[in-house]
Amino acid sequence: MYWEPELETMPRQALEALQLKRLKQTLRRAVKSPYYGGLRREGKITPAAIKTVSDVRSLPMTTKEDMRSHFPYGFLCVDRQQTIRLHCSSGTTGNPTVIFHTQHDLQSWANLVARCLFAVGARDTDVFQNICGYGLFTGGLGFQCGGERLGALTVPAGAGNSRRQIKLMQDFGTTVIHTIPSYLTRLHAVFGELGLDPIKDTRLRLLVIGAEPHTEETRQRIQQLFGVKAFNSYGLTEMNGPGVAFECEHQNGMHLWEDAYIAEIVDTDTLDPVPEGEVGELILTTLDRHAMPLVRYRTRDLTRFIPGQCPCGRTHRRIDRVVGRSDDMFIIRGCNVFPMQIEGVLMRIPEVGHDYLISLVTENGVDEIVLDVELRVQGFSDDFAGLEKLARRITHEVRDEILVTPKVRLVEPGALPKPEGKAIRFKDLREGRCLQ
Ligand code: AMP
Ligand code: ZN
C-alpha cells in the first residue's frame, strides 16, 4: 500500500530520468538567486552541462556557512511576493539559516510527509497528535500539514505539558503520535505518576520519532514502554524539515525520497563518494523546491546507504540510522568518540534509566569524560553495593566501546535537566573550549 504507488515504486531507470529532468529545472531556477547566480558567472554552475544524474558531482557544495553569510535573501530565487512561509534552523550562534517556501513548496513538502506517514500505516481514520514545538522549528508545522494532507485528524498539541498531552490523548482517542524520542520516556513517566499505563489506557497504535539522534536500543525501549512500533523519521530544515527519509513498515532503514532529493554519501575529508554501504556524510540536493533550491548541501550527518532492496517494494534507496553529525564527534585522549556509541552501551543495560549526560572536563590538567547516568528505578540508590557494581559495569562496558575510561556518576530517575526541545546530552567543559 503506497501513498503514490507510481512514484514510490518507480523502476530505477525511470526514477533517474525524473531526477535528471528535475535537476536541470532546479539548476535553472537556482541560478536566479544572488548566490548561485554568482557561481554561474564564475563558471562553477552550468545547467546546460548536466547530462546525467551523476554530473551533480561536478557542482560545488553548499555549506551552512555559505547560507549564513548570504543571510537572509542571498539564496532566494523567486520574487519575495511569491514566498508564503519561512523556517529557521536551530542555530545558537550567529545568523540562523533561513529557508523560504512558495505555495508549491509547502504543498510538495506536505505531500512528502503524508507519504511517510502512510508508509508506516497511518491513515485518514487516525487521530494524529503532533507533540513538538510549532513556530520556526519544522517538526511542528511540517507534521501538521503532512497529517492534514493525509486526512488524519491532526492535533497541534505543541511541546511540553505532559499532563495535558495525556489528557488530549484520552479525550480524542489519539492513535498516532509524532515526537522526539527523548520526550517519550518522560511522557511515560508522567503516565506512571497519574497511575495510567499507555498500553492499556490509550488507543495508541504507532509512534513516529525523529529530529534527534537515537540508537536502536533506545527505539527498542520506547517500543516496550508504549507497546507499539516506533518509526524513525529523518529531516532537516534546510531540506524542508521532516519528510526527507522515513522508515517503512519493515523498520530496516529509511527510504530517502529520491524524486525530491539527490543523495550522495561522501568521505568527510576528501569529499569523494564512499564505497557503497560505507558510512560518510550525507549530501543532499533539492529537486522540487521553487523558492530556495539548494545544491549539494552538506548536512554534516553521518550515515550509509543500505545495499539491496526493501521487501516493501519501494525503489527509493534507504539510509541507515544517523550515527551522529561529523561535528558531534569529539576527540579525547586521542580517541574519536561519537555520543551515540555511549548511548548504545547505556541503553543495553537494564538498570540504566532513559537519560544521561556526557560532560568533558579537565581535572588536574587531564581531560576526562564524566557520565551522569539516571537510574531506572527510584530507591535503588539505597543499595550501596549494588550501585557500586552497576557503576563499575557501566565504566567497563563504555571503556570497551570507546577505549577511554569514563567517570560514572549514578543519579536518581528524573534528576537530569529536561529541556522542552531536543535533548542536550553532551557538554564540552574542557579548558580552552567554548561552553556548550
Ligand atoms: P533541525 O534542522 O534544526 O531540525 O535539525 C536537523 C538535524 O537534526 C539533522 O541534520 C540531524 O542532525 C538531526 N536529525 C533529524 N532527524 C534525525 C533522526 N531521525 N536521527 C538522527 N538525527 C536526526
Ligand atoms: Zn521499505
Side-chain angles (χ1 to χ4, degrees):
M1 289 278 275
Y2 312 102
W3 178 246
E4 290 157 296
E6 204 187 315
L7 278 173
E8 291 173 54
T9 63
M10 193 174 254
R12 289 297 308 177
Q13 219 180 353
L15 187 54
E16 279 176 28
L18 178 66
Q19 285 189 310
L20 179 61
K21 183 173 130 215
R22 291 189 167 179
L23 175 61
K24 289 179 175 173
Q25 286 168 348
T26 293
L27 293 176
R28 282 197 293 270
R29 284 202 177 91
V31 293
K32 293 185 186 147
S33 71
Y35 180 74
Y36 290 122
L39 292 182
R40 180 173 59 179
R41 281 191 295 279
E42 291 169 24
K44 292 182 180 151
I45 295 185
T46 313
I50 300 292
K51 302 283 182 236
T52 66
V53 175
S54 48
D55 287 343
V56 75
R57 290 191 213 141
S58 65
L59 298 168
M61 291 186 176
T62 306
T63 64
K64 204 177 188 86
E65 292 67 44
D66 296 328
M67 297 180 69
R68 284 198 170 130
S69 55
H70 293 80
F71 179 84
Y73 294 118
F75 278 79
L76 190 61
C77 57
V78 296
D79 236 22
R80 208 162 48 164
Q81 197 190 343
Q82 284 178 258
T83 59
I84 57 168
R85 199 200 291 164
L86 63 79
H87 281 281
C88 290
S89 85
S90 44
T92 42
T93 50
N95 285 334
T97 49
V98 57
I99 301 291
F100 298 96
H101 298 279
T102 63
Q103 196 78 253
H104 166 91
D105 296 338
L106 291 186
Q107 277 169 13
S108 158
W109 177 19
N111 186 60
L112 286 175
V113 177
R115 186 194 285 180
C116 296
L117 289 169
F118 195 88
V120 297
R123 294 292 180 269
D124 58 5
T125 42
D126 276 300
V127 178
F128 173 43
Q129 187 164 333
N130 188 23
I131 309 183
C132 62
Y134 278 60
L136 294 173
F137 175 59
T138 54
L141 285 167
F143 270 102
Q144 182 67 33
C145 298
E148 290 171 1
R149 179 83 179 81
L150 177 72
L153 172 56
T154 309
V155 184
N161 199 341
S162 301
R163 285 177 187 234
R164 199 187 55 168
Q165 298 289 357
I166 292 170
K167 179 146 178 16
L168 286 172
M169 289 172 73
Q170 296 197 306
D171 288 347
F172 301 112
T174 298
T175 50
V176 180
I177 281 181
H178 163 251
T179 191
I180 51 176
S182 57
Y183 179 69
L184 279 177
T185 47
R186 248 183 293 158
L187 186 65
H188 187 268
V190 179
F191 267 101
E193 284 164 24
L194 296 173
L196 296 170
D197 175 355
I199 300 181
K200 286 200 250 114
D201 302 318
T202 70
R203 298 215 195 146
L204 209 55
R205 59 182 205 89
L206 62 97
L207 296 168
V208 172
I209 53 176
E212 62 181 11
H214 57 286
T215 54
E216 180 59 36
E217 288 79 5
T218 296
R219 185 237 292 271
Q220 297 292 342
R221 281 188 172 210
I222 288 172
Q223 295 192 146
Q224 265 170 17
L225 292 175
F226 287 87
V228 294
K229 280 190 169 183
F231 296 93
N232 195 358
S233 150
Y234 169 81
L236 62 161
T237 312
E238 291 80 357
M239 292 291 126
N240 294 342
V244 176
F246 220 80
E247 283 181 332
C248 65
E249 69 269 27
H250 296 286
Q251 291 186 313
N252 55 2
M254 297 180 279
H255 289 282
L256 193 143
W257 301 124
E258 293 181 277
D259 55 325
Y261 304 95
I262 293 178
E264 303 165 72
I265 295 185
V266 303
D267 182 295
T268 38
D269 297 325
T270 63
L271 301 183
D272 290 331
V274 294
E276 179 78 10
E278 285 188 16
V279 173
E281 178 177 339
L282 182 65
I283 309 288
L284 293 171
T285 300
T286 64
L287 290 178
D288 194 24
R289 228 164 48 181
H290 290 184
M292 201 170 151
L294 288 181
V295 178
R296 303 192 81 204
Y297 180 70
R298 288 193 66 173
T299 66
R300 304 275 170 191
D301 290 325
L302 300 174
T303 183
R304 65 181 192 111
F305 284 124
I306 297 181
Q309 284 173 357
C310 183
C312 76
R314 291 179 180 82
T315 49
H316 301 237
R317 280 183 297 175
R318 289 162 299 158
I319 56 167
D320 209 343
R321 189 175 285 289
V322 171
V323 289
R325 298 172 56 80
S326 54
D327 34 17
D328 276 351
M329 191 192 77
F330 60 88
I331 301 178
I332 184 152
R333 294 192 232 140
C335 294
N336 296 355
V337 181
F338 282 102
M340 280 303 111
Q341 289 177 276
I342 298 179
E343 175 175 313
V345 173
L346 294 178
M347 295 302 132
R348 273 195 295 271
I349 302 176
E351 296 87 347
V352 166
H354 309 301
D355 215 353
Y356 62 92
L357 178 67
I358 305 167
S359 311
L360 306 185
V361 299
T362 309
E363 280 174 7
N364 306 321
V366 180
D367 289 345
E368 302 275 3
I369 302 181
V370 176
L371 279 186
D372 288 301
V373 179
E374 276 188 9
L375 292 167
R376 187 143 192 181
V377 189
Q378 209 106 28
F380 178 59
S381 49
D382 300 338
D383 172 10
F384 195 71
L387 283 182
E388 285 253 283
K389 199 166 143 216
L390 177 60
R392 266 203 309 277
R393 174 169 173 208
I394 296 173
T395 309
H396 290 154
E397 294 198 10
V398 171
R399 189 198 52 210
D400 288 349
E401 172 70 31
I402 65 171
L403 309 177
V404 179
T405 307
K407 288 196 166 171
V408 173
R409 297 193 297 218
L410 299 174
V411 301
E412 285 284 324
L416 292 171
K418 316 262 184 260
E420 198 163 85
K422 300 189 189 195
I424 298 167
R425 284 172 166 159
F426 177 71
K427 288 187 174 169
D428 192 347
L429 308 170
R430 286 177 288 184
E431 279 167 14
R433 312 262 164 174
C434 306
L435 296 190
Q436 289 197 23

